Amino acid sequence: MRTQVVIIGSGPAGLLLGQLLTNCGIDNIILERASREHVLSRIRAGVLEEGTVGMLDEAGVGARMHREGLPHDGFDIAFDGRRHRIDLHRLTGGKRVMVYGQTEVTQDLMEKRAQTGARSVYQAENVKPHDFDGESPFVTYEKDGTTHRIDCDFIAGCDGFHGVSRKSVPESSIDLYERIYPFGWLGIIAEVPPAGHELIYANHPRGFALCSMRSTHRSRYYVQVPTGEKVDDWTDERFWDELRARLPSASAEQVTTGPSIEKSIAPLRSFVAEPMRFGRLFLAGDAAHIVPPTGAKGLNLAASDIRYLFDGLREYYEEKSAAGIDAYSGRALARVWKAERFSWWMTNTLHKFPDQGAFGQKIQHAELDYLFQSEAALTMLAENYVGLPY
Ligand SMILES: Cc1cc2nc3c(=O)[nH]c(=O)nc-3n(C[C@H](O)[C@H](O)[C@H](O)COP(=O)(O)OP(=O)(O)OC[C@H]3O[C@@H](n4cnc5c(N)ncnc54)[C@H](O)[C@@H]3O)c2cc1C
């Protein structure tokens, strides 16, 4: 088998790249380890930057997002028993974010790919990129007991943090930067109306909490929990009590409780692999970097990587120029590190750290106090939250 680009991974990065390439006639095959149903069952990100919305439109999959998504002009930060609004729209000269779940983004991209007849192989086992440091790379995989080989021009490693692509690169060729936080987010989804129209990020002496949503009748809530906490130790009742204890009383009263339909704990990590290109293998999305979810940047960074990678590949095929793919790693990493900084700052400012002590608490309080007294500080927060330019 032969194609122009083999894409490893059918998450948002792989599907978006595949659709953009397909739309301009560049042949590609997606190889995914999991089943289609499994990929669709993963509940993850939910806040899309304008740049991500624009790319989904460009890929031709934006219609349902514009119909069912919730555009948000701002969000609240709660501390000291009060809520303070960040007016994203005013602070950024008219920008906003779109609340639309990653599951929906993935489903829209999968449906479009099926309509266009582009090739995807789900439950592809033992996927391996080969010879990407030369001119003739290829990828092997196993399916139903048979080994297959796909020859290609390029390999896009869009296979997430635990994927095979980054691990295929010799250790001496890659630099890894990592910070692991001493807590995770316990999240639930419930079929109840959200506590408010916009998101509420809460800094509280008991720990961080977030009120989010997927729609006007489906809520997504999180509370910070120490590393090692077990989901089974959290009944719905315990979760709701803890969430309400971390919110200002007026907001706590607005929380509608109900049975959870999903409950899980996500660890928090900052991680970057440099560079993001190794010969004819490119890393994109979580395969190359992870951010703690506090800044809502994970999925959006996957989209901005694909912006640079797709532009580079299109230039290569349409204009016979390698300038875009040569610049890919540098351009992507410059934006990745700014999102890493912002996500780290949001995490440090809003969470309770086990070793922060009274001094750390005072500093955190001063940081938030300053934020709401300074137009410059608010603008920094707002322009990062809606997404830096590509
Ligand atoms: C529990 C959780 C909660 C999150 N919450 C948020 C949030 O609230 N906000 C936010 O912005 N971000 C969040 N994120 C991050 C966001 O979901 C990711 O940044 C986003 O999914 C990245 O997309 P991706 O396509 O790069 O990687 P993924 O979505 O991880 O997709 C990678 C794909 O590659 C496949 N794969 C892996 N290994 C192989 C292999 N060897 N062969 C073939 N295929 C393979 C995987 O099965 C997967 O389908 C969360 C992530 C997690 C894990």
Side-chain angles (χ1 to χ4, degrees):
M1 229 185 313
R2 189 179 157 80
T3 188
Q4 289 170 297
V5 183
V6 171
I7 299 170
I8 305 179
S10 169
L15 286 165
L16 183 57
L17 177 64
Q19 198 53 49
L20 292 166
L21 292 173
T22 301
N23 290 352
C24 63
I26 300 170
D27 193 54
N28 60 91
I29 299 178
I30 293 183
L31 298 178
E32 165 62 51
R33 183 175 57 185
S35 68
R36 200 184 298 261
E37 295 69 35
H38 179 80
V39 174
L40 279 175
S41 70
R42 291 189 298 225
I43 304 203
R44 292 181 168 181
V47 178
L48 307 183
E49 297 173 355
E50 281 196 356
T52 306
V53 169
M55 289 192 65
L56 293 170
D57 284 335
E58 186 181 336
V61 297
R64 189 164 74 98
M65 168 182 65
H66 288 291
R67 231 175 23 247
E68 297 177 13
L70 307 171
H72 281 192
D73 288 342
F75 67 91
D76 280 4
I77 290 181
F79 75 106
D80 251 3
R82 288 192 302 134
R83 274 165 67 171
H84 307 257
R85 185 163 188 268
I86 318 284
D87 188 339
L88 297 173
H89 200 252
R90 180 183 70 75
L91 290 160
T92 61
K95 293 191 176 153
R96 49 175 52 143
V97 292
M98 174 77 87
V99 173
Y100 189 64
Q102 177 167 338
T103 314
E104 314 307 322
V105 170
T106 309
Q107 187 177 333
D108 295 344
L109 283 162
M110 278 184 180
E111 279 174 13
K112 180 79 177 173
R113 189 164 177 88
Q115 280 163 20
T116 49
R119 290 176 286 177
S120 307
V121 181
Y122 284 88
Q123 294 172 298
E125 290 167 32
N126 216 358
V127 174
K128 275 197 193 127
H130 302 267
D131 289 0
F132 47 82
D133 48 353
E135 292 297 304
S136 311
F138 63 99
V139 180
T140 54
Y141 69 96
E142 288 162 24
K143 173 90 183 164
D144 302 328
T146 309
T147 302
H148 302 264
R149 169 180 168 140
I150 311 178
D151 291 282
C152 56
D153 301 330
F154 298 105
I155 302 168
C158 302
D159 47 352
F161 183 67
H162 299 288
V164 66
S165 301
R166 191 183 68 250
K167 290 177 193 148
S168 304
V169 174
E171 272 179 33
S172 57
S173 311
I174 192 164
D175 290 321
L176 307 178
Y177 302 85
E178 184 168 47
R179 170 156 304 184
I180 294 174
Y181 299 88
F183 41 73
W185 281 15
L186 167 64
I188 67 160
I189 288 200
E191 211 61 48
V192 292
H197 163 60
E198 294 176 341
L199 275 66
I200 307 168
Y201 290 78
N203 169 299
H204 191 274
R206 296 178 70 93
F208 169 78
L210 172 60
C211 305
S212 183
M213 71 281 293
R214 287 294 179 268
S215 69
T216 51
H217 53 269
R218 181 172 278 204
S219 300
R220 180 79 161 136
Y221 290 108
Y222 299 95
V223 293
Q224 171 190 349
V225 292
T227 302
E229 199 80 358
K230 303 255 183 321
V231 180
D232 291 346
D233 293 339
W234 285 82
T235 59
D236 287 356
E237 199 180 12
R238 182 178 173 205
F239 180 90
W240 292 119
D241 286 347
E242 188 59 41
L243 174 74
R244 283 184 296 207
R246 296 182 187 191
L247 298 174
S249 48
S251 308
E253 280 165 22
Q254 285 165 351
V255 172
T256 308
T257 62
S260 62
I261 53 175
E262 196 264 355
K263 196 187 286 165
S264 56
I265 295 179
L268 263 65
R269 178 197 304 269
S270 298
F271 172 85
V272 181
E274 286 191 357
M276 288 170 60
R277 178 191 180 181
F278 306 88
R280 287 176 173 260
L281 168 69
F282 301 93
L283 301 182
D286 278 17
H289 41 72
I290 296 286
V291 283
T294 329
K297 291 285 162 250
L299 171 57
N300 292 301
L301 270 188
S304 64
D305 288 351
I306 297 306
R307 168 82 282 154
Y308 303 128
L309 182 55
F310 167 63
D311 287 348
L313 290 170
R314 188 179 47 185
E315 243 176 80
Y316 178 86
Y317 286 109
E318 291 182 357
E319 297 165 30
K320 311 285 174 245
S321 161
I325 54 174
D326 288 346
Y328 168 69
S329 180
R331 291 175 75 195
L333 281 166
R335 193 173 188 282
V336 164
W337 273 113
K338 293 187 191 83
E340 289 282 346
R341 183 208 70 84
F342 176 65
S343 305
W344 164 87
W345 178 82
M346 285 281 278
T347 304
N348 281 343
T349 305
L350 295 174
H351 289 75
K352 183 177 177 181
F353 284 73
D355 59 351
Q356 79 187 125
F359 180 82
Q361 268 175 18
K362 287 280 185 192
I363 292 290
Q364 213 178 48
H365 191 276
E367 177 93 41
L368 287 165
D369 216 18
Y370 168 68
L371 178 69
F372 291 102
Q373 287 166 7
S374 162
E375 188 74 0
L378 276 176
T379 305
M380 181 285 289
L381 171 52
E383 69 186 15
N384 278 279
Y385 195 83
V386 299
L388 297 176
Y390 289 173

